[in-house]
């Protein structure tokens, strides 16, 4: 796809950023990114005012894995936009 500038990434929706970043990480076996995403989800949930989900995420690894695959939607996706942009900026081929 070629090199994407941060401005171009900023123009994408949270869902588009999520889909590209997660697809790239899964395709390239970037477990570091996926793990970091999982660790960021509880704080992102908290930032959206969803404290109950935060507690659930912290206590259940399966919830985190599920969240990682859907973390591009809605307010959660918006809260994670900077993380996706940073990752995609480092991997312009994504």
């Amino acid at each position: 796809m070629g090199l994407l500038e941060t401005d171009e990434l900023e123009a994408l929706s949270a869902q588009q950023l999520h889909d590209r970043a997660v697809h790239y990480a899964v395709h390239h076996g970037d477990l570091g990114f996926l793990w970091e995403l999982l660790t960021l989800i509880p704080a992102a949930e908290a930032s959206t005012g969803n404290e109950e989900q935060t507690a659930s995420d912290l206590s259940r690894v399966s919830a985190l894995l599920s969240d990682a695959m859907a973390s591009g939607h809605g307010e959660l996706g918006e809260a994670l936009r900077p993380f996706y942009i940073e990752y995609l900026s480092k991997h312009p081929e994504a």
Side-chain angles (χ1 to χ4, degrees), residues 18-68:
H18 164 270
D19 291 351
R20 288 178 67 161
V22 170
H23 177 315
Y24 181 85
V26 168
H27 183 74
H28 289 89
D30 190 347
L31 297 178
F33 170 81
L34 295 171
W35 181 253
E36 189 174 356
L37 174 59
L38 292 176
T39 65
L40 289 171
I41 288 172
E45 286 281 6
S47 77
T48 68
N50 196 347
E51 290 82 19
E52 287 182 27
Q53 185 64 40
T54 302
S56 175
D57 285 350
L58 290 171
S59 66
R60 295 180 15 222
V61 173
S62 62
L64 288 174
L65 292 172
S66 176
D67 284 349

Side-chain angles (χ1 to χ4, degrees), residues 1-12 16-17 20 84-94:
M1 172 169 259
L3 189 63
L4 283 181
E5 298 295 325
T6 302
D7 288 345
E8 293 173 289
L9 292 172
E10 288 284 355
L12 299 176
Q16 290 170 313
L17 292 167
R20 288 178 67 161
Y84 297 135
I85 289 170
E86 179 182 356
Y87 182 75
L88 291 170
S89 294
K90 292 177 185 174
H91 300 283
E93 64 278 9

